[in-house]
Amino acid sequence: MTAPFPIYRTKRRYCSVKTFMLVLTLLVGNYFWAQIGMSQWRLHVASGKAIDIVRAENTIFTAYTNGLHVLNRDNEEEELLTDVNGLSDIEISCLYYDSIAACVLVGYSNGNIDKITTSSIYNIPAIKLAQVPNSKRINRFMRNGDYVYVATDFCVTKLDLNKDEIKDTYYPTNGNEAILDLSFSVDTIFALTSDRLKYGIIDNPALPDVSQWQVDSRFPIQSENSYAEIEQFENKQFILLKSPEYGQDSVFYLNNNVKTWLTNSPYSLEINSINILDDTTFAVNIDGGIYIYNSELSNPLSYNSNNFNIWISPVRSIRGNEGIWSADQINGLHLYPSGIGYKAFPIVGPYNNNFYAMDWQSNTLAVASGRLLGKLPSFSSNGVHVFRNETWGFENIQSVPQWQDENIWDFIDISVNPNNPLEYAVASYSEKPLTIFSADTVEVFDDTNSSLSFTGIENGWSLASDVCFDTQDNLWVLNGYTEQPLNVRRQDGSWANFDCGSSARNIYTTKMIIDFNDNIWFASEDHGMFGYNHNNTIDEPNDDEYVHIYTGVNSGNLPSSNVTALAADFDGEIWVGTDAGFAILYNASNAFDANPGEYDVQRVKVTFEGNVEYVLGNTHITDIEVDGGNRKWIATANAGILLLSPDGSEILEQHTTENSPLVSNNIFDLKLDQNSGELFIITDNGLISYRSDASYEDPTYETYNVFPNPVRPNYSGPVTIQGIRYNSDVKITDAAGNLVYKTTSNGGTAAWNCRALSGERVASGVYYIWTATNVGKDKKVGKVLIMN
């Protein structure tokens, strides 16, 4: 039978960390979880929710939403595989270990499949590339005879793992309903949908025809409840029946065609999944524990949250020599040696995969995890992620007492105090618009204890769309839909707000920045941008000035009234991103005293093939970040990220899903770790980061560092020189003092590719690094050992 789409044979997938042996040995390194080198990427895998688990001999594979944890029990080494370092895709949907082909299959939500063998990772993209309008999610793998059958959201495929190609495709529901699970009995294949069980004869050559599939009348068609999984155990078909109401699920099987409940009573549990542990035991994974059934279908053993002093919620279990392993949707990977003890195997990553806006200060990255639906809240209860010293923390409504029993949701912005990174402020669109965390306290603010107000549109909520700490420990809060949107909480805890003109009143505000002259700039979706100069006297508003920059000549000349990004650079310029390109406000501090037309923004023009064009045209800009070299990182809604030269006239880099490990071209937010140069990127597919070649300067050279050092023979990346002065001249010489290489730093970072000026790789030996500012002061000498 001809497959309905082209047969794509094996495509070998690189593994950038180390090729690993699946069964015999796992050659991995925990350094993958540590800081990355220059020009390298890392995907920040959500660590709380494991979704599947399989065991290959003594190696445990645990799937998380966007990563695969591999644990070798023989030597306790582990690795986290992602789209960045070996896997071919991002969002994992299921796992399967096939003992006959000695491989692990990884299914993805977009139909992609990876095959992990004892030597490599192979990609089988046929289903992903199928030209069908339906979802192509991989739901389950199941071997029968010579083939592995794949249940997807639109079909069942027959996969030949010897040739890594699809041999046939079946459509039990004519592509209209998802096939959730598969089961086999003698000569029959069963395909489970949410409302019925269908079957066909495996050897029927006409099986691709929907008419060859019959409804199994022994299993009632569902209307209110839904089927979720099927397993064959002790020659019986066990079905998981899910209810839309929490705690009303059940498992049943047919005994002489009579429905028999496996669980003590029907509709009495919240069941995550069912699965066979071995030939004699069967697991029911519930919210709160694991029930183990033997071949007589009695329940001699249970693993219960009450015995562990933590709440567990396993979604899949396997049996190993040490006990029961589970993929837990709250706690990740767990091992239960007995019914009263457990061992956790955490991975480094944020608790969940919800990200919206970020801030970085003093080695602290804080991420707000709310969401908006247009201009309205989504009522998301996700909280705040904090990343310090390669460790992630998480706070949400359940863990913060001050948030409990309050109408607070959608944390949409966050700011870290540059003078005290243990203090950060979180903004929300809810009844409680602001929370300030410090080392010892949590304070929640609303209209009763601050100058913040409810919206003028009278929806009962307060919109704090952005927060920023200034260098004097004052916290600025942008309060949209109010008469005076600009508010400040002074260092002493007192509050004030400011009149920014009639055009700023009762509008939907978005983003805010503070420039290097302490001027405040904020954006709106429909009314352009505003600047506020408090003249460093926030207690004396009489000397304050404001400016409104809008569309149209002599009114600001913005490309669009929808301002989506703001950034201040080292030259006193404000870079303005809109949904129709970017522009620059030069000499921004002068705009407050300027006449109409003197504060119009300018667009950067270049000549291309004889035509004068705007750089990036009308690209939808979502964020702008300025790095230590005064270059501009541009986030876009559909074109990935770009790096522009300091004046914006040249595109230095562009990263998309097509040419890099970037997981999506739709970027929400950017934030630079200005000490290391690592660029954190929030996308609609999660959080990823890329270590750039720029950082803030260190004028004292106290953080001066050269790495890697020594340079090993198998290393092919650059040597990074970091912690030097802004725009330093850098020279590399050999031991005899001969010039080998020279460059200029990007801010406080420079890179050497271990090659001489001629382009050839240098010989083994010690090389000296000389740095000086471009005025010839503050020389610094370092050295690096090259080993070829």
Side-chain angles (χ1 to χ4, degrees):
M1 183 67 63
T2 303
F5 37 81
I7 294 176
Y8 295 87
R9 296 186 180 273
T10 298
K11 176 183 176 182
R12 184 165 183 167
R13 177 70 176 179
Y14 69 89
C15 185
S16 64
V17 180
K18 296 181 180 179
T19 299
F20 59 87
M21 300 298 292
L22 178 66
V23 176
L24 298 179
T25 185
L26 189 63
L27 301 177
V28 297
N30 290 331
Y31 66 86
F32 176 71
W33 292 352
Q35 285 191 345
I36 53 177
M38 185 181 294
S39 300
Q40 292 182 348
W41 296 76
R42 60 172 166 174
L43 186 64
H44 298 271
V45 176
S47 63
K49 185 176 181 179
I51 61 171
D52 208 347
I53 186 170
V54 295
R55 179 173 63 90
E57 299 299 334
N58 213 23
T59 301
I60 310 297
F61 291 79
T62 308
Y64 294 80
T65 304
N66 52 352
L68 180 64
H69 177 251
V70 186
L71 172 65
N72 184 350
R73 294 296 287 165
D74 290 331
N75 53 24
E76 296 301 317
E77 291 185 329
E78 53 190 321
E79 184 173 26
L80 188 62
L81 294 175
T82 70
D83 175 64
V84 170
N85 72 322
L87 300 182
S88 66
D89 229 305
I90 304 163
E91 187 176 349
I92 300 174
S93 57
C94 63
L95 297 178
Y96 180 72
Y97 174 60
D98 186 68
S99 59
I100 295 177
C103 68
V104 170
L105 296 177
V106 183
Y108 296 92
S109 62
N110 62 359
N112 214 350
I113 297 174
D114 278 339
K115 174 186 173 183
I116 305 178
T117 71
T118 57
S119 58
S120 288
I121 301 177
Y122 292 81
N123 180 227
I124 307 172
I127 298 173
K128 174 184 176 181
L129 299 176
Q131 299 299 309
V132 295
N134 311 62
S135 167
K136 293 175 274 190
R137 177 185 177 89
I138 306 295
N139 296 316
R140 196 61 52 87
F141 299 98
M142 183 67 64
R143 176 174 280 277
N144 185 68
D146 295 332
Y147 302 99
V148 169
Y149 292 76
V150 187
T152 79
D153 270 2
F154 76 101
C155 70
V156 176
T157 62
K158 184 177 174 180
L159 179 60
D160 184 345
L161 286 180
N162 292 323
K163 297 181 178 180
D164 296 314
E165 64 184 28
I166 290 175
K167 304 297 292 186
D168 218 337
T169 304
Y170 311 132
Y171 297 92
T173 65
N174 207 27
N176 296 321
E177 293 181 72
I179 311 302
L180 302 178
D181 206 350
L182 299 170
S183 182
F184 297 88
S185 178
V186 191
D187 62 349
T188 305
I189 177 174
F190 295 89
L192 186 71
T193 72
S194 62
D195 64 352
R196 67 194 66 194
L197 182 66
K198 302 193 76 173
Y199 68 92
I201 304 304
I202 297 174
D203 295 333
N204 181 358
L207 198 56
D209 186 348
V210 65
S211 67
Q212 302 301 302
W213 290 82
Q214 308 299 318
V215 176
D216 192 331
S217 60
R218 300 174 302 166
F219 297 87
I221 295 177
Q222 299 296 315
S223 56
E224 297 180 359
N225 298 322
S226 60
Y227 295 131
E229 294 184 359
I230 183 170
E231 291 281 3
Q232 179 168 303
F233 181 66
E234 292 297 312
N235 296 317
K236 298 178 178 66
Q237 300 285 5
F238 289 76
I239 299 275
L240 170 57
L241 185 63
K242 296 284 291 181
S243 167
E245 296 184 27
Y246 181 87
Q248 299 295 306
D249 304 335
S250 53
V251 179
F252 71 90
Y253 62 95
L254 295 183
N255 188 8
N256 295 323
N257 286 331
V258 176
K259 183 187 290 186
T260 304
W261 301 104
L262 176 67
T263 46
N264 293 332
S265 59
Y267 311 112
S268 61
L269 298 169
E270 182 64 22
I271 303 176
N272 297 326
S273 68
I274 57 176
N275 64 270
I276 298 171
L277 294 177
D278 52 36
D279 292 339
T280 61
T281 52
F282 183 85
V284 177
N285 305 291
I286 69 169
D287 190 23
I290 305 171
Y291 291 165
I292 308 295
Y293 291 83
N294 59 24
S295 57
E296 297 176 353
L297 302 185
S298 62
N299 175 218
L301 182 62
S302 297
Y303 297 82
N304 193 289
S305 289
N306 295 331
N307 296 330
F308 300 134
N309 294 319
I310 62 167
W311 188 258
I312 65 173
S313 187
V315 292
R316 191 72 61 189
S317 302
I318 59 173
R319 186 183 293 281
N321 297 330
E322 311 93 331
I324 300 295
W325 295 83
S326 80
D328 193 289
Q329 63 182 350
I330 298 175
N331 305 299
L333 175 62
H334 271 58
L335 168 64
Y336 304 106
S338 67
I340 58 174
Y342 71 92
K343 182 178 181 180
F345 293 83
I347 65 171
V348 176
Y351 179 72
N352 60 39
N353 209 31
N354 299 294
F355 315 100
Y356 191 74
M358 301 177 287
D359 189 34
W360 176 92
Q361 297 288 343
S362 303
N363 296 315
T364 297
L365 179 78
V367 186
S369 299
R371 188 76 68 214
L372 293 179
L373 298 175
K375 294 182 179 180
L376 297 174
S378 67
F379 304 101
S380 165
S381 60
N382 287 303
V384 175
H385 303 279
V386 178
F387 188 42
R388 295 190 187 100
N389 300 320
E390 294 301 308
T391 300
W392 285 93
F394 181 65
E395 299 287 357
N396 65 2
I397 291 174
Q398 288 71 40
S399 64
V400 179
Q402 292 82 356
W403 284 349
Q404 294 171 12
D405 301 319
E406 298 285 356
N407 290 326
I408 187 168
W409 51 74
D410 287 317
F411 304 103
I412 56 175
D413 197 65
I414 197 163
S415 180
V416 180
N417 189 337
N419 299 319
N420 177 15
L422 296 180
E423 181 179 29
Y424 57 91
V426 188
S428 79
Y429 191 4
S430 66
E431 289 185 12
K432 306 293 181 180
L434 177 70
T435 304
I436 300 178
F437 289 81
S438 65
D440 303 316
T441 62
V442 178
E443 294 182 90
V444 178
F445 296 91
D446 57 19
D447 64 313
T448 65
N449 60 352
S450 73
S451 62
L452 303 176
S453 302
F454 286 104
T455 66
I457 57 177
E458 298 182 352
N459 56 15
W461 309 320
S462 182
L463 170 60
S465 64
D466 209 327
V467 283
C468 291
F469 279 101
D470 65 20
T471 56
Q472 305 302 314
D473 292 334
N474 302 304
L475 176 65
W476 295 85
V477 185
L478 193 57
N479 190 193
Y481 287 135
T482 64
E483 290 288 314
Q484 295 180 309
L486 187 60
N487 295 254
V488 65
R489 182 178 185 265
R490 303 180 184 92
Q491 184 182 17
D492 63 7
S494 62
W495 283 85
N497 53 17
F498 304 91
D499 181 20
C500 300
S502 59
S503 298
R505 295 170 189 161
N506 296 306
I507 66 172
Y508 182 79
T509 58
T510 53
K511 297 188 176 183
M512 175 175 59
I513 62 168
I514 302 174
D515 68 19
F516 291 101
N517 294 312
D518 287 329
N519 299 313
I520 315 296
W521 301 90
F522 65 89
S524 74
E525 186 172 285
D526 301 311
H527 293 76
M529 61 179 284
F530 300 82
Y532 195 88
N533 174 20
H534 53 73
N535 279 306
N536 295 313
T537 56
I538 60 177
D539 296 324
E540 299 178 12
N542 292 332
D543 63 350
D544 294 357
E545 301 171 296
Y546 58 80
V547 63
H548 179 206
I549 298 175
Y550 196 56
T551 57
V553 177
N554 297 332
S555 296
N557 208 26
L558 288 173
S560 168
S561 61
N562 182 11
V563 175
T564 55
L566 294 170
D569 75 0
F570 301 156
D571 297 327
E573 301 165 356
I574 301 299
W575 286 59
V576 186
T578 75
D579 60 358
F582 77 90
I584 304 171
L585 179 63
Y586 295 98
N587 298 316
S589 292
N590 294 333
F592 298 102
D593 296 321
N595 296 315
E598 295 178 347
Y599 55 81
D600 281 2
V601 300
Q602 306 294 319
R603 302 194 68 179
V604 179
K605 299 177 180 179
V606 294
T607 301
F608 180 72
E609 296 182 349
N611 299 317
V612 177
E613 301 178 356
Y614 294 127
V615 174
L616 303 189
N618 61 354
T619 301
H620 186 160
I621 311 298
T622 56
D623 198 18
I624 302 173
E625 279 287 300
V626 180
D627 70 15
N630 207 30
R631 306 175 305 177
K632 281 71 182 182
W633 289 91
I634 309 292
T636 73
N638 51 28
I641 56 176
L642 302 100
L643 175 62
L644 301 186
S645 59
D647 64 358
S649 64
E650 183 181 359
I651 298 176
L652 304 177
E653 297 179 24
Q654 181 172 12
H655 301 283
T656 67
T657 56
E658 289 74 28
N659 67 4
S660 76
L662 188 64
V663 293
S664 173
N665 290 330
N666 184 9
I667 313 300
F668 292 166
D669 198 18
L670 300 176
K671 195 60 63 176
L672 274 159
D673 178 338
Q674 299 287 7
N675 288 343
S676 69
E678 187 169 4
L679 178 69
F680 292 88
I681 308 159
I682 294 179
T683 79
D684 58 354
N685 274 336
L687 177 66
I688 192 170
S689 58
Y690 167 78
R691 189 158 185 174
S692 69
D693 60 350
S695 63
Y696 275 179
E697 71 166 353
D698 182 353
T700 66
Y701 290 92
E702 292 180 0
T703 61
Y704 176 80
N705 189 25
V706 178
F707 61 92
N709 192 8
V711 177
R712 305 289 181 182
N714 60 350
Y715 180 72
S716 60
V719 170
T720 301
I721 303 107
Q722 204 159 63
I724 57 182
R725 289 196 64 122
Y726 179 76
N727 283 5
S728 295
D729 292 328
V730 178
K731 296 181 180 180
I732 314 293
T733 66
D734 60 19
N738 300 308
L739 179 65
V740 174
Y741 185 79
K742 62 180 180 179
T743 188
T744 301
S745 69
N746 291 314
T749 295
W752 176 38
N753 60 5
C754 300
R755 296 184 180 275
L757 293 172
S758 63
E760 298 178 353
R761 187 173 177 89
V762 297
S764 298
V766 175
Y767 291 84
Y768 292 87
I769 302 167
W770 304 75
T771 73
T773 62
N774 50 23
V775 293
K777 298 180 179 178
D778 297 315
K779 286 187 178 181
K780 182 74 176 183
V781 179
K783 60 184 178 180
V784 59
L785 172 63
I786 306 295
M787 303 168 62
N788 294 326

